[in-house]
Amino acid sequence: MTTNVYSTLHMSIEDGVARIVLDNPPVNVLDATMMRELRTLLTTLADDSTVRVIVFSSADPEFFLAHVDMRIGEKMDVLQELAASTPADVNVFQAVGELIRHQPQVTIVKLAGKARGGGAEFVAAADMAFAATETAGIGQIEALMGIIPGGGGTQYLRDRVGRNRALEVVLTADLFDAEAAASYGWINRALPADQLDEYVDRIARNIAALPDGVIEAAKRSLPADDFKEGLLRENDAWASQISQPAAQQLISGGLQSGAQTPAGERDLEELMRSATRQ
């Protein structure tokens, strides 16, 4: 079964595996519309007992999810709609990651391209992530915008890589290649690009074919950690920075210099560092 009722997502379901393709050109930003569609689709899938595994991939070979839309404030109507249905203890960005972390299905990211900022948070929210050695990259770019991760990234990172490496990731704002990310525990493993599809497909099909109750028992025994207090701290810290003139100037300068275009996103770190030097 294939579903194309969403503007930024495509889904097919076969043998208990739902494959969700993220498709929001030109660089797959995580915008307000995609957030709304992800929340709708994942909430629907949570009630579908025939789906056992969800695999996320991208329609863009270069960008899994570039980052949260730097113009997201222009979609205030959608943001307000999302906020109205968001639990009181998380913000609209954190709600996406928390929904992924608490899905009853096993969630897997197939990372062939780059995932920065909110895209990196999305990857870390999934149960598993596998990346292409030659082409994948992951990083928390926010510090170069004058802010910190605000979609769960600080908590997910510390859980996966430890406090010292989480601080390194956040404060250097570097793009990490797949092998480095795997060595840190940020993702499960790096694989040659020509083996990534086959490997993830095999993992997804094998898990989906397990006897009834095994997935539920495993996820019940290994529950997603409760980050309630940490997410509140993160939101407070993020909100204190996003309102600063410096952050607004850096984000605006980044957009003027080519952020959210394919050319600008290929080396967004250098683009944003140039903005900080101006």
Side-chain angles (χ1 to χ4, degrees):
M1 180 184 76
T2 301
T3 303
N4 289 317
V5 298
Y6 301 97
S7 63
T8 66
L9 310 172
H10 307 288
M11 182 181 71
S12 62
I13 299 176
E14 183 181 6
D15 297 330
V17 180
R19 293 175 174 80
I20 299 176
V21 180
L22 310 174
D23 188 8
N24 193 22
V27 292
N28 254 8
V29 292
L30 181 57
D31 64 8
T33 298
M34 183 181 279
M35 288 184 195
R36 178 174 61 188
E37 293 185 348
L38 279 167
R39 285 172 60 172
T40 299
L41 180 53
L42 291 175
T43 300
T44 300
L45 286 175
D47 295 326
D48 188 344
S49 61
T50 68
V51 175
R52 295 181 162 196
V53 179
I54 302 173
V55 176
F56 298 99
S57 62
S58 172
D60 188 324
E62 284 196 88
F63 305 103
F64 174 77
L65 275 180
H67 44 72
V68 170
D69 184 6
M70 294 164 71
R71 295 189 175 93
I72 199 165
E74 298 173 8
K75 296 288 184 69
M76 193 54 65
D77 56 335
V78 182
L79 285 175
Q80 289 174 343
E81 175 190 331
L82 290 171
S85 60
T86 296
D89 52 358
V90 295
N91 64 38
V92 295
F93 311 111
Q94 294 168 340
V96 176
E98 288 300 279
L99 189 58
I100 295 169
R101 288 204 317 126
H102 293 284
Q103 281 295 122
Q105 294 90 359
V106 173
T107 53
I108 301 174
V109 163
K110 182 168 61 177
L111 184 64
K114 297 178 177 64
R116 295 180 172 102
E121 290 170 321
F122 187 109
V123 173
D127 292 324
M128 306 176 195
F130 303 93
T133 302
E134 301 92 332
T135 57
I138 186 168
Q140 298 291 165
I141 190 76
E142 292 89 346
L144 296 178
M145 301 176 185
I147 57 177
I148 66 162
T154 61
Q155 305 307 297
Y156 306 160
L157 267 173
R158 181 168 182 165
D159 183 56
R160 286 193 173 220
V161 308
R163 179 178 181 271
N164 59 333
R165 284 174 167 167
L167 283 169
E168 175 193 355
V169 169
V170 170
L171 295 178
T172 64
D174 284 340
L175 186 70
F176 287 69
D177 62 37
E179 289 184 338
S183 72
Y184 275 25
W186 198 348
I187 62 172
N188 287 68
R189 67 173 65 190
L191 296 153
D194 62 0
Q195 298 178 23
L196 181 63
D197 287 346
E198 181 180 357
Y199 185 86
V200 172
D201 184 66
R202 180 177 66 81
I203 290 287
R205 288 179 180 275
N206 286 350
I207 292 174
L210 290 170
D212 289 345
V214 173
I215 293 172
E216 294 84 351
K219 295 200 76 168
R220 188 168 61 248
S221 300
L222 295 163
D225 287 341
D226 183 357
F227 293 137
K228 181 177 180 179
E229 292 184 4
L231 291 172
L232 288 171
R233 290 195 303 270
E234 177 188 83
N235 181 65
D236 290 344
W238 173 84
S240 71
Q241 292 302 118
I242 194 66
S243 61
Q244 295 296 318
Q248 296 302 315
Q249 182 177 349
L250 286 169
I251 292 171
S252 176
L255 286 166
Q256 291 175 15
S257 298
Q260 301 197 174
T261 68
E265 292 287 334
R266 289 184 184 116
D267 192 358
L268 185 60
E269 289 75 19
E270 179 55 33
L271 184 151
M272 293 306 304
R273 287 192 174 94
S274 296
T276 65
R277 294 192 288 265
Q278 292 178 1

